[in-house]
Amino acid sequence: MKIRSFIGKAVLSLAITGGFSAVSLAEDPVFGIAIHGGAGTIKRSNLAPEKEAEIRAVLKQARDAGYQILETGGSGLEAVIAAVEILENSPHFNAGKGAVYTHDGEHELDASIMRGDTLQAGAVAGVKRVEHPITLARLVMERSRHVLLSGKGAERFAVKQGINLVNNAMFDTEFRYQQLMRSKQASLSVNNLPTEFKVGTVGAVALDKDGNLFAATSTGGMTNKQYGRIGDSPIIGAGTYANNDSCAVSATGHGEYFIRYQVAADICARVRYKGESARSAGEAVIHDVLLPAGGTGGVIIIDNKGNVSMPFNTAGMYRASRTSTGEDQVLIYKKR
Ligand code: ASP
């Protein structure tokens, strides 16, 4: 299938220069995007068909918004931001509107972004009043001397950049509130929380026509989190990583494990130093490293040739991908 589309896209060009003739095979640049909306206990039996249809529609919308930008020659940076902002707006995902509640009944949002050409990165943690944390992470990357800003300081920076702060209650949803109540009743802490309580972190990875990789992740963290807990999503190398020499990764899952195992950076390092394919590197880290350690979750990966893989070790992961080589899928449950 891939070989056929390669040949289909290949352009046979005949160049004649000063009596010397050469036949070269030039290919359109490959590009693509993958997105996720969280990994966890997502089973057919506990997802109502109407809700499933709505979730699939938002995943498709976010993916296609990013893809269109790439297709028209736009930057992968704009593509991942466009996709993540759509997911942040949707109450179905644990990012922006629909973010989980902290122990104190508020929302504290984390996000990060990285570009694979310059290795520049930006992140925010524990922000309460920023509608699109991913956009603020981008501004940290582009307009500050720092990589990671937190809490009130990050919000002061947002105001300086012309962002209007919003009321924390704008992220409220009844569904997440009930989750907080249930987790408090069962005295579930971040450490023994079933994965259904934290599913919904969002992210995007892209390869653009210029050959540059980007990764972006945004989350409300974990239900019932306390004491200003920060997860992996705003930690470069844990929840987000991009390097043009290997791949771009965005993660979702039990953040404490993703931080300790440096999941996103480890996948790219395996590709870079061991020469593994992005697919086998991702599967090794998710299934052979994280799972035995007790870490649940998944990642989306795109490598510098446009190959996408989306391994996870939970029942499901909201995910979608589309590439110029013909990949086109919107998935929730395990394949097979
Ligand atoms: N990784 C996120 C965190 O630990 C949660 C998730 O992806 O579900 O904050």
Side-chain angles (χ1 to χ4, degrees):
M1 178 94 161
K2 275 198 178 142
I3 292 172
R4 232 182 292 135
S5 65
F6 171 83
I7 292 168
K9 282 185 183 242
V11 181
L12 193 66
S13 63
L14 180 67
I16 302 172
T17 23
F20 173 77
S21 67
V23 176
S24 71
L25 205 58
E27 199 196 353
D28 286 345
V30 171
F31 60 93
I33 185 165
I35 64 164
H36 71 80
T41 318
I42 315 167
K43 293 189 188 141
R44 264 197 191 83
S45 51
N46 54 24
L47 194 59
E50 314 79 63
K51 190 170 172 188
E52 178 177 330
E54 281 175 28
I55 288 174
R56 282 184 187 277
V58 184
L59 288 171
K60 187 171 181 310
Q61 186 199 349
R63 179 201 67 173
D64 291 348
Y67 187 84
Q68 254 162 29
I69 290 170
L70 299 172
E71 195 173 33
T72 50
S75 156
L77 179 68
E78 305 300 340
V80 294
I81 292 273
V84 169
E85 282 196 347
I86 289 171
L87 298 168
E88 285 178 336
N89 283 341
S90 167
H92 292 300
F93 304 105
N94 172 20
K97 174 88 184 160
V100 299
Y101 286 81
T102 63
H103 187 76
D104 297 330
E106 289 186 307
H107 309 279
E108 293 176 356
L109 312 175
D110 305 332
S112 66
I113 191 159
M114 184 166 187
R115 49 185 310 150
D117 53 350
T118 59
L119 302 195
Q120 283 173 295
V124 293
V127 294
K128 298 184 188 180
R129 304 183 58 200
V130 176
E131 185 174 2
H132 287 294
I134 198 62
T135 304
L136 185 57
R138 176 198 185 153
L139 292 174
V140 172
M141 174 171 80
E142 293 180 341
R143 300 196 198 159
S144 86
R145 288 177 290 119
H146 308 294
V147 170
L148 172 56
L149 301 182
S150 69
K152 289 230 156 59
E155 288 171 2
R156 275 209 310 277
F157 174 75
V159 171
K160 267 197 149 176
Q161 299 307 318
I163 290 181
N164 291 326
L165 298 184
V166 297
N167 194 316
N168 192 251
M170 88 154 276
F171 305 117
D172 286 354
T173 51
E174 183 57 26
F175 159 70
R176 294 293 184 194
Y177 187 69
Q178 291 309 326
Q179 274 188 347
L180 175 67
M181 293 299 113
R182 290 209 305 280
S183 108
K184 280 190 169 178
Q185 270 158 19
S187 311
L188 296 171
S189 71
V190 162
N191 281 333
N192 59 4
L193 205 61
T195 48
E196 66 179 282
F197 285 93
K198 54 200 186 212
V199 67
T201 290
V202 307
V205 292
L207 171 69
D208 65 22
K209 284 190 179 178
D210 294 328
N212 292 321
L213 289 166
F214 296 85
T217 312
S218 180
T219 190
M222 287 167 85
T223 303
N224 206 4
K225 63 185 182 180
Q226 272 180 291
Y227 314 121
R229 178 264 188 192
I230 306 292
D232 60 310
S233 306
I235 307 296
I236 298 301
T240 302
Y241 199 72
N243 191 331
N244 276 5
D245 69 15
S246 50
C247 56
V249 180
S250 169
T252 170
H254 195 150
E256 279 67 12
Y257 291 86
F258 282 69
I259 294 173
R260 287 163 50 213
Y261 287 86
Q262 282 291 290
V263 166
D266 188 20
I267 292 170
C268 294
R270 285 165 185 253
V271 173
R272 181 175 180 184
Y273 299 118
K274 289 178 83 183
E276 280 186 46
S277 70
R279 174 176 302 277
S280 70
E283 281 174 0
V285 171
I286 294 300
H287 298 292
D288 306 338
V289 177
L290 265 194
L291 194 59
T296 50
V299 289
I300 51 169
I301 313 168
I302 189 163
D303 72 12
N304 56 15
K305 294 171 200 70
N307 300 306
V308 169
S309 50
M310 306 190 274
F312 55 96
N313 62 28
T314 48
M317 179 165 85
Y318 299 124
R319 61 205 189 277
S321 60
R322 192 166 165 195
T323 68
S324 60
T325 53
E327 178 156 332
D328 180 345
Q329 45 189 357
V330 178
L331 298 165
I332 298 181
Y333 313 107
K334 277 197 176 131
K335 278 186 174 175
R336 77 187 109 109

